[in-house]
């Protein structure tokens, strides 16, 4: 059996210029595939990558994806592909976080006693 553990991949903002936008439908609904997209980040060199958007992320960005038009997206690496996680926060270089949910105090105490930070993304889906 292959090791199914996922590595943590931070979310970052990138300017994505799609070469083409292909909308497909999978078993969980529509998704977008941007093959050969030009991607540039604030602190890196431009690169060419496949960018994909699924589920709620797809719903957020589908109207903004047009071939040849750059768009700022919150993304994270998924192997050699970039996966869209949403839109960047306005006037900020940090991606927009999901709305906070009030944590159960008992669960918070249990996680803390086990050495886990309840606010950290451990990369487990």
């Amino acid at each position: 059996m292959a090791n199914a553990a996922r590595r943590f991949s931070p979310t970052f903002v990138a300017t994505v210029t799609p070469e083409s936008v292909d909308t497909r439908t999978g078993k969980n609904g529509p998704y977008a595939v941007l093959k050969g997209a030009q991607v540039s980040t604030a602190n890196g060199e431009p690169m060419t990558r496949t960018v994909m958007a699924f589920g709620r992320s797809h719903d957020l960005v589908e109207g903004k994806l047009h071939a040849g038009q750059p768009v700022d997206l919150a993304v994270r690496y998924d192997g050699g592909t970039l996966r869209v996680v949403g839109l960047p926060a306005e006037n900020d270089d940090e991606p927009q976080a999901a709305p906070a949910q009030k944590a159960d105090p008992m669960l918070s105490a249990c996680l803390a006693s086990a050495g886990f930070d309840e606010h950290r993304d451990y990369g487990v889906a």
Side-chain angles (χ1 to χ4, degrees), residues 101-112 118-119:
Q101 295 179 355
K102 190 168 183 168
D104 177 7
M106 187 174 229
L107 177 60
S108 296
C110 182
L111 287 169
E118 69 182 289
H119 302 289

Side-chain angles (χ1 to χ4, degrees), residues 16-97:
V16 177
T17 306
E19 183 175 274
S20 65
V21 179
D22 185 15
T23 302
R24 302 175 185 175
T25 302
K27 65 179 181 179
N28 294 323
Y31 64 98
V33 179
L34 317 174
K35 286 194 174 195
Q38 297 300 312
V39 180
S40 59
T41 61
N43 58 356
E45 292 186 28
M47 60 185 137
T48 303
R49 291 279 188 264
T50 296
V51 179
M52 300 180 81
F54 300 93
R56 283 189 266 178
S57 297
H58 173 264
D59 296 342
L60 283 172
V61 302
E62 71 176 320
K64 299 179 183 309
L65 302 176
H66 304 286
Q69 294 183 356
V71 61
D72 289 338
L73 300 172
V75 296
R76 68 173 50 154
Y77 281 102
D78 186 357
T81 300
L82 288 174
R83 178 177 263 191
V84 176
V85 295
L87 296 169
E90 291 182 25
N91 302 321
D92 195 358
D93 287 336
E94 289 298 315
Q96 205 166 20

